[in-house]
Amino acid sequence: MPTVTWGVIQGRKEKLVSRVIVCDYLKSIGIIPDELEDLELPSTVEVMRERVKFLQKIGLTIDDINEYPLMLGCSVRKNIIPVLGYLEKIGIPRGRMCEFVKNYPQCLHASVVVELVPVVRFLRGLDVEKQDIGYVLMKYPELLGFKLEGTMSTSVAYLVSIGVNPRDIGPMVTQYPYILGMRVGTVIKPLVDYLVSLGLPKKILARMFEKRAYVIGYSLEETVKPNVDCLMSFGVRKEALASIIAQYPQILGLPLKAKLSSQQYFFNLKLKIDPDGFARVIERMPQIVSLNQNVIMKSVDFLLGRAISVSDVAKMVVKCPQVVALQVGFMKNSYYYFKSEMGRPVNELVEFPEYLTYSLESRIKPRYQRLKSKGIRCSLAWFLNCSDQRFEERLGGEYIEAESVGPSFVMGGKLDLPGGEIVSEEEDESDDEILYRRTVSL
């Protein structure tokens, strides 16, 4: 608060004269005093000069002061020095103090004990690490002006209510402190409700927010809804939206139309993949919208160089888009093992391109050696597309069971398992559990 101990006690006339003199001084150094009309100013030029020089000493320019001239109402000893000293103590580097004050000059009016300390204690109570307090406040200095019982508390309470782990609130705030300033009723809840309406369970949203808190900051009307509409306009099925968002939450905040248009044209030009095929690629690997085209071409060129036709490469990419994101060296080793050791025809690779995504040393080689020792001849999918336990069961079986496709995920319905008639209800996985497995890679 402004101090009243500047200079001698003056009468009304003397105060007006002193004010004119102080304002003339401010004008002479380039400061516009118009906004200071209702502010009590020091009675002497010397006190005001001390304030200006101190503010310049920490790095502020006359232009910076003109941006927020009310800082000149703060006493150096009673306001500015205690506030800056406390900010440095909680982790704002002295070299960046000027930047902090520029971004939030209102902090100079604050009471350290009454306003600043409670906010810092609140952040520590959310499990924000002590060494991260300065970082959080540098990103979002306006936190120092918030009331604890207002937006900050309600936003945290709502996030916990939808399933966010209380222990993860601290890391979320450190990553994206702006969530503490977002209103539940107008910002956070409408976003959550909309994503739930697309088929995303709240517990999946909670895991998503824990890992990528900045998703909460995407504008529902300006970014999220237009991007969802854009995906559907490119042929993505509504039932696939939840899986896409769970796999790649950032897709909600990208300049999506431009990226999708560019990638769709690229895939059609290079591989003759039609719009429907491109939509299936997006559904299976949404990250492809952000994948560099030079990276994609390295994998494509490798496959074309193995005498695989363009149409077959296109078929492989549509079935398993992950192949275009693999390192060529990784693909090369797996391919040569496929040809030289396993002696398999290329058409098997075209039918099961997922082969290239498995680890050669930890899965392909060990399992193939086991098959070879037992004299078993089977498809790639039969021995690779199953868990270790299932593989052991297959090896111990008296006959080679027929190949079956993996489980399919359909929003709004039960998990459809091949041979589901022999699976008990207790063994069925819920839609939420399937989607949760898809978010493990988040």
Side-chain angles (χ1 to χ4, degrees):
M1 300 296 294
T3 176
V4 292
T5 56
W6 310 317
V8 297
I9 298 176
Q10 300 173 313
R12 189 168 181 272
K13 184 177 178 181
E14 289 85 353
K15 280 185 178 180
L16 290 173
V17 173
S18 297
R19 188 178 188 88
V20 170
I21 294 172
V22 170
C23 286
D24 286 343
Y25 162 71
L26 293 175
K27 290 177 183 176
S28 72
I29 60 175
I31 295 174
I32 303 168
D34 296 355
E35 291 185 39
L36 304 178
E37 287 181 7
D38 299 325
L39 192 69
E40 187 175 359
L41 297 177
S43 59
T44 65
V45 171
E46 286 71 25
V47 175
M48 182 58 79
R49 183 182 291 115
E50 179 192 20
R51 293 183 185 181
V52 173
K53 285 187 176 179
F54 189 89
L55 292 172
Q56 289 178 319
K57 188 176 179 181
I58 66 173
L60 296 177
T61 64
I62 296 298
D63 288 339
D64 296 329
I65 296 174
N66 273 324
E67 286 291 322
Y68 187 75
L70 296 179
M71 67 176 73
L72 294 173
C74 299
S75 164
V76 171
R77 292 168 183 79
K78 293 191 175 184
N79 298 102
I80 302 176
I81 289 177
V83 167
L84 298 186
Y86 181 70
L87 291 176
E88 186 175 2
K89 178 183 175 183
I90 61 175
I92 307 293
R94 181 173 292 189
R96 300 189 66 186
M97 195 66 73
C98 173
E99 178 189 346
F100 186 90
V101 174
K102 277 184 190 178
N103 291 333
Y104 189 62
Q106 293 89 336
C107 69
L108 298 179
H109 299 288
S111 162
V112 171
V113 175
V114 176
E115 295 169 277
L116 304 188
V117 170
V119 171
V120 171
R121 284 179 178 165
F122 179 80
L123 293 174
R124 291 287 292 124
L126 295 179
D127 277 347
V128 176
E129 298 292 338
K130 188 176 182 180
Q131 65 269 21
D132 291 330
I133 294 290
Y135 172 78
V136 168
L137 293 176
M138 280 298 298
K139 286 182 75 173
Y140 195 31
E142 290 84 355
L143 282 176
L144 291 175
F146 288 172
K147 300 297 181 185
L148 304 187
E149 66 277 5
T151 305
M152 291 202 290
S153 296
T154 54
S155 59
V156 169
Y158 179 74
L159 289 171
V160 171
S161 76
I162 66 170
V164 171
N165 189 327
R167 290 184 175 275
D168 285 311
I169 294 290
M172 287 173 66
V173 169
T174 303
Q175 178 194 137
Y176 194 72
Y178 308 101
I179 58 178
L180 294 179
M182 293 178 180
R183 294 186 178 279
V184 170
T186 57
V187 179
I188 304 178
K189 188 175 185 298
L191 176 66
V192 170
D193 289 345
Y194 178 71
L195 295 177
V196 168
S197 75
L198 296 179
L200 277 156
K202 283 187 178 179
K203 74 176 183 179
I204 303 304
L205 287 179
R207 302 293 84 76
M208 199 166 79
F209 292 159
E210 287 168 4
K211 298 294 183 181
R212 291 181 169 80
Y214 54 82
V215 172
I216 304 172
Y218 292 156
S219 169
L220 178 60
E221 298 299 332
E222 295 178 14
T223 307
V224 176
K225 284 184 177 179
N227 277 3
V228 169
D229 291 341
C230 182
L231 284 168
M232 295 181 69
S233 72
F234 274 79
V236 171
R237 296 167 299 176
K238 186 175 182 180
E239 59 268 24
L241 290 172
S243 173
I244 288 173
I245 295 169
Q247 290 180 69
Y248 191 47
Q250 299 95 310
I251 204 167
L252 295 174
L254 295 173
L256 198 55
K257 187 172 183 179
K259 286 181 174 288
L260 284 173
S261 298
S262 172
Q263 296 294 59
Q264 186 186 64
Y265 175 77
F266 174 79
F267 276 94
N268 182 260
L269 179 68
K270 299 295 183 181
L271 293 172
K272 302 296 184 289
I273 293 177
D274 61 20
D276 186 61
F278 179 72
R280 301 295 82 74
V281 169
I282 297 300
E283 289 175 1
R284 290 170 180 144
M285 184 184 168
Q287 293 87 346
I288 208 117
V289 301
S290 301
L291 198 59
N292 188 289
Q293 293 176 357
N294 291 329
V295 172
I296 295 172
M297 279 311 299
K298 286 180 181 179
S299 301
V300 169
D301 287 341
F302 172 79
L303 294 172
L304 293 173
R306 310 282 82 77
I308 302 175
S309 69
V310 171
S311 61
D312 281 343
V313 172
K315 182 180 175 183
M316 294 171 71
V317 170
V318 171
K319 190 168 187 222
C320 181
Q322 288 76 9
V323 296
V324 301
L326 297 172
Q327 292 184 3
V328 172
F330 183 92
M331 295 174 71
K332 191 179 292 185
N333 292 338
S334 297
Y335 178 80
Y336 288 147
Y337 188 81
F338 172 83
K339 288 297 289 181
S340 60
E341 293 295 324
M342 299 169 69
R344 304 240 173 174
V346 173
N347 69 296
E348 285 197 37
L349 191 61
V350 173
E351 291 299 320
F352 190 70
E354 292 89 341
Y355 165 85
L356 295 170
T357 68
Y358 291 108
S359 168
L360 179 61
E361 298 300 327
S362 65
R363 175 164 289 200
I364 299 174
K365 279 186 179 180
R367 291 193 178 184
Y368 179 70
Q369 293 300 331
R370 296 283 304 281
L371 292 176
K372 193 175 178 181
S373 66
K374 287 181 170 286
I376 298 174
R377 175 77 182 177
C378 63
S379 70
L380 295 173
W382 189 87
F383 80 93
L384 290 175
N385 191 23
C386 60
S387 65
D388 289 339
Q389 180 182 346
R390 187 62 175 152
F391 177 68
E392 293 299 331
E393 290 172 357
R394 287 178 172 180
L395 283 185
E398 296 182 0
Y399 64 95
I400 298 180
E401 64 183 335
E403 247 182 82
S404 62
V405 295
S408 61
F409 178 76
V410 181
M411 293 306 302
K414 290 187 176 181
L415 185 69
D416 178 27
L417 285 170
E421 65 279 356
I422 61 170
V423 180
S424 69
E425 284 293 322
E426 290 75 22
E427 290 176 295
D428 282 346
E429 286 187 278
S430 69
D431 290 344
D432 289 6
E433 289 167 334
I434 295 300
L435 194 53
Y436 178 73
R437 286 200 284 104
R438 293 190 178 201
T439 62
V440 170
S441 61
L442 286 175

